[in-house]
Every structure is written in C-alpha cells, then in structure tokens.
Amino acid sequence: LMKRGILIFAYSHPFYGMYAANLAASIKFTCPDIPITLLHDYKAIGHFNAIHRSLFNEFKEIPKDCFYTNGIFQPYKAKLYAYELSPYDETLFIDADVIMFPLGRNLNNIFEELKDVDFTIQNRSNYDASTDIKPDMWADLQEIKKEYSVTDGQFYYISSEFIYFKKTEQNEKLFKDAISIFDNFRITYKRFGGGIPDELPLSIAMLL
C-alpha cells in the first residue's frame, strides 16, 4: 500500500476517460507529486494518448464482477468497490466529472485536515431515524427502518462525488455491507441511470 493518493473511476464511455484526464490535470497543477490511480474498463481510456496517460501514476482495470448483481448490469455498483480496489492507506475518491480549481482547496491540505478522520463523505443532510420525518431522498426512511430493523441512529443523505477513507477494519466492513445490501435490495427506491444509486446502500450501511 502507498500512503496517500487519489482514486478516480472511468468506465462505459470514452467521455468519462477524458473527464478523468481533465480532473487529473487540474489536480497535478497544484499537487504535482500526489499519486493518482485510474480505475477503468478500457472502453473509457480508448481515446487516451501519451499525454493523457502521463497524468496518472497507475491504471487498474475494474473487474467485471463489480458491475453485476444477479446477472444484471448495475453501473453504479462499481463505486462501492473503491475500498477494495484502492492501493492507498488513505484514499480520496473524486468523481471523474469534477475539476479542482487552482484557487480552491489544495488536496494535500485536505489530506492533512482529515488525518485524524477514518471516513467522511459529501453529505446533503442527515436525519434522526427515531423521528417520523420522511425526507426527500432515494428511498423512504420509514421503509428503511422497517426492512432493516432500525429504530434510531443518523441517516445521512450522502453524495458520493467525494469520499475519504483509511484502510481500517471498520471501513472494510462498511463497504462490504454496502455491497451486500446492493445485491439483496429489499426496499423501493428512486432509479438513477436505470439502476440502483450507489449512495443508497452506502447510506443504509452507515446507518446500520
């Protein structure tokens, strides 16, 4: 394992490979020494030339099993394998369709700010599961509580464009639980891009 690094996914279409290259270039502008790993399915990097490739420190193909549940293609499931596929002790996962502006936050500084944190993720809002509120999100909180036998705790309405995590036993379990929930989904949900949004099983795993 390497100490700290950036993880980016790009798959399904060359556009995502080019998005990832733009993101990597914007990161290298202010943090030239930070390692970046691109997880891909070859289709996404089909338009890469030597300059695009030079922006990344490592290329890793995403195993095909990461995209399927019961034989059905689920494109967003792959992101739940970020923990398993990351080569870093401390990982900052950023969605490919993001740009880091040079006058914004330096990613090395973000790593320093998070050095005492094991896990954090972009979050829209959070809800007390012991109340009867029904937030507007991917699924009904009351159904989640019923199906997963939850009576209290915090439900986080997360957004997975930005995830920071360390290699820990707790985080390994969190991501494995999210994959298990994804593969055995028991609740009604809002479809996203024709499939299950990756944030929902991860939110449920965080609640549990």
Side-chain angles (χ1 to χ4, degrees):
L1 288 174
M2 292 176 274
K3 179 67 173 174
R4 293 173 171 174
I6 307 299
L7 193 66
I8 306 172
F9 279 78
Y11 51 87
S12 296
H13 197 284
F15 281 154
Y16 289 104
M18 302 310 290
Y19 291 155
N22 290 337
L23 171 58
S26 71
I27 292 171
K28 293 289 188 178
F29 186 82
T30 54
C31 305
D33 298 326
I34 198 166
I36 303 176
T37 294
L38 181 65
L39 299 176
H40 64 88
D41 65 351
Y42 282 106
K43 186 184 297 184
I45 61 174
H47 293 176
F48 272 20
N49 58 32
I51 293 175
H52 298 126
R53 289 182 173 275
S54 70
L55 295 167
F56 301 93
N57 299 79
E58 183 182 24
F59 291 84
K60 294 179 68 174
E61 183 181 6
I62 305 169
K64 290 182 174 56
D65 290 347
C66 297
F67 294 107
Y68 288 88
T69 292
N70 301 320
I72 299 173
F73 180 67
Q74 293 282 1
Y76 303 104
K77 180 183 176 182
K79 290 172 70 173
L80 297 177
Y81 288 89
Y83 181 94
E84 180 178 325
L85 297 176
S86 175
Y88 306 112
D89 291 311
E90 298 177 54
T91 300
L92 185 55
F93 166 83
I94 306 174
D95 260 356
D97 56 347
V98 171
I99 290 290
M100 302 300 296
F101 288 100
L103 297 180
R105 306 293 295 279
N106 181 298
L107 292 186
N108 283 318
N109 293 341
I110 291 177
F111 273 110
E112 281 301 307
E113 289 178 24
L114 297 174
K115 65 182 180 180
D116 297 322
V117 175
D118 285 343
F119 174 90
T120 192
I121 186 169
Q122 184 172 319
N123 182 46
R124 295 186 178 97
S125 53
N126 62 291
Y127 302 92
D128 186 340
S130 65
T131 68
D132 273 337
I133 58 175
K134 295 185 176 181
D136 180 20
M137 53 188 187
W138 294 116
D140 184 85
L141 180 55
Q142 303 312 308
E143 186 180 3
I144 292 171
K145 289 167 58 178
K146 178 180 177 181
E147 290 298 323
Y148 294 96
S149 301
V150 175
T151 58
D152 57 13
Q154 292 293 312
F155 185 92
Y156 293 93
Y157 185 20
I158 59 174
S159 184
S160 62
E161 290 92 348
F162 178 104
I163 311 173
Y164 169 85
F165 57 87
K166 291 185 175 78
K167 291 284 187 176
T168 67
E169 291 182 6
Q170 293 91 339
N171 284 338
E172 181 180 18
K173 183 179 187 305
L174 173 66
F175 281 91
K176 284 184 176 179
D177 286 350
I179 293 168
S180 178
I181 291 168
F182 195 110
D183 286 339
N184 302 278
F185 227 61
R186 309 203 303 259
I187 60 174
T188 304
Y189 61 91
K190 295 179 183 178
R191 296 177 68 83
F192 180 72
I196 301 172
D198 56 282
E199 289 99 338
L200 181 53
L202 188 55
S203 286
I204 295 172
M206 290 168 64
L207 176 62
L208 296 177

